[in-house]
Amino acid sequence: MLRFYPRTLRRIRPLLPALILLLVVSIAGLTSACGGGNRNSRVATTAPPPAPVPAPPAATSTLRVMVDAATCAGRVLNVEILVDGVSIDSVPQPGGSVAATVSVGAHTVSAASSNGVTWPPATLEIGTAGLVYSLTCTPPSPVSPAPPAALPSATTADLAYCVQETNRYRALVHLGGLSQSAALEDYAATGARIDGTSHSAHSHFLSTNGGGIAFAENEIPWWRFAPYLTVRAVIQQGLVQFWAEGPTGGHRKNLTGPYTQVGCGVFINNGEITVVQDFR
């Protein structure tokens, strides 16, 4: 308990305002340091943001793309491999491969070779175990060999030409023309077929002794048809050779013999042509 004596009070009375002010300031500072005297007051503060948590790394796998040697050999070169539209590398020759590290999941693979062969995009599901994808080449469609050109058959115009050419040569030596005989044409056609098949000249004429209607025979035996292309060209060239034998040649003697009728027969088979002339 403080006791102040009158003399002391008189001495400190002038100092009381300063002491009171000092006491108030001291109490205010103590209150602030202790969180304030008002229990209901709140001070708003902002907590610092939490540190970011890094995302776990994406799972990766290996995709290997190879160019099939069995179906692509000799057909493609420098195959560029694209994964999701981005080139990863190229395979120089069939049988080779390239590998890429990709994320687990779906990816699109396509490819194109330097000589114009392309593969459409293929969507692949890549797991953690990886995947090997093979690019195969579609076998070329088998090309059926072109059927051999059909060989022409002799026409009535061809048979008439044979008679006309014979008479043209006869006229060179002032001989009358021969008439065209249907019976001799039938006989000559049979002879051309038999001789042309057996490759035995005049075998039909000799074995039948002229069939009772033919007295002489000329034959163009199984010539290759391709160089001449037409029946008339064969007949024309054959008669050129007959005439070139000269007056003593057997074929020319038949062309200029004392006959009144002639018939020609033609047989075409296996690329060969045989022409027979029968006279009477």
Side-chain angles (χ1 to χ4, degrees):
M1 181 178 183
L2 296 176
R3 293 182 178 180
F4 297 98
Y5 293 95
R7 184 180 294 176
T8 303
L9 289 174
R10 285 194 301 270
R11 289 178 179 176
I12 66 174
R13 181 175 296 167
L15 301 176
L16 284 178
L19 292 174
I20 293 172
L21 178 61
L22 179 61
L23 180 61
V24 171
V25 171
S26 298
I27 293 174
L30 179 63
T31 302
S32 174
C34 294
N38 185 357
R39 295 180 180 179
N40 295 324
S41 65
R42 295 290 187 269
V43 178
T45 59
T46 302
V53 178
T60 60
S61 187
T62 300
L63 170 64
R64 181 170 293 277
V65 182
M66 62 183 299
V67 179
D68 183 59
T71 59
C72 297
R75 301 180 60 189
V76 297
L77 290 171
N78 300 318
V79 180
E80 184 181 15
I81 310 299
L82 295 93
V83 176
D84 299 328
V86 178
S87 176
I88 59 172
D89 207 341
S90 62
V91 179
Q93 297 285 345
S97 66
V98 297
T101 299
V102 297
S103 60
V104 172
H107 294 276
T108 301
V109 175
S110 59
S113 72
S114 60
N115 59 335
V117 178
T118 60
W119 287 262
T123 301
L124 309 175
E125 189 68 32
I126 315 298
T128 56
L131 181 70
V132 176
Y133 180 62
S134 180
L135 297 171
T136 59
C137 297
T138 304
S141 301
V143 178
S144 300
L151 295 175
S153 57
T155 65
T156 55
D158 294 329
L159 301 182
Y161 176 79
C162 184
V163 176
Q164 293 165 8
E165 278 293 279
T166 300
N167 287 335
R168 185 174 70 83
Y169 282 104
R170 288 174 64 88
L172 294 177
V173 291
H174 310 292
L175 295 174
L178 306 179
S179 61
Q180 185 173 355
S181 168
L184 287 174
E185 286 177 347
D186 290 343
Y187 182 74
T190 301
R193 176 177 56 80
I194 292 174
D195 295 356
T197 302
S198 64
H199 283 196
S200 179
H202 306 294
S203 62
H204 174 253
F205 180 84
L206 295 175
S207 64
T208 61
N209 197 25
I213 59 172
F215 302 151
E217 182 176 271
N218 285 343
E219 187 165 22
I220 303 170
W222 49 91
W223 284 11
R224 296 300 303 171
F225 184 76
Y228 301 97
L229 301 178
T230 66
V231 173
R232 293 191 188 190
V234 173
I235 293 172
Q236 188 270 337
Q237 187 59 36
L239 293 184
V240 166
Q241 294 188 19
F242 293 165
W243 194 258
E245 293 176 359
T248 59
H251 293 96
R252 180 161 170 173
K253 285 184 177 180
N254 287 340
L255 286 176
T256 58
Y259 309 116
T260 59
Q261 295 181 338
V262 66
C264 298
V266 178
F267 178 69
I268 303 173
N269 185 50
N270 291 330
E272 298 177 339
I273 179 171
T274 297
V275 179
V276 168
Q277 283 183 310
D278 282 311
F279 302 87
R280 70 175 178 186

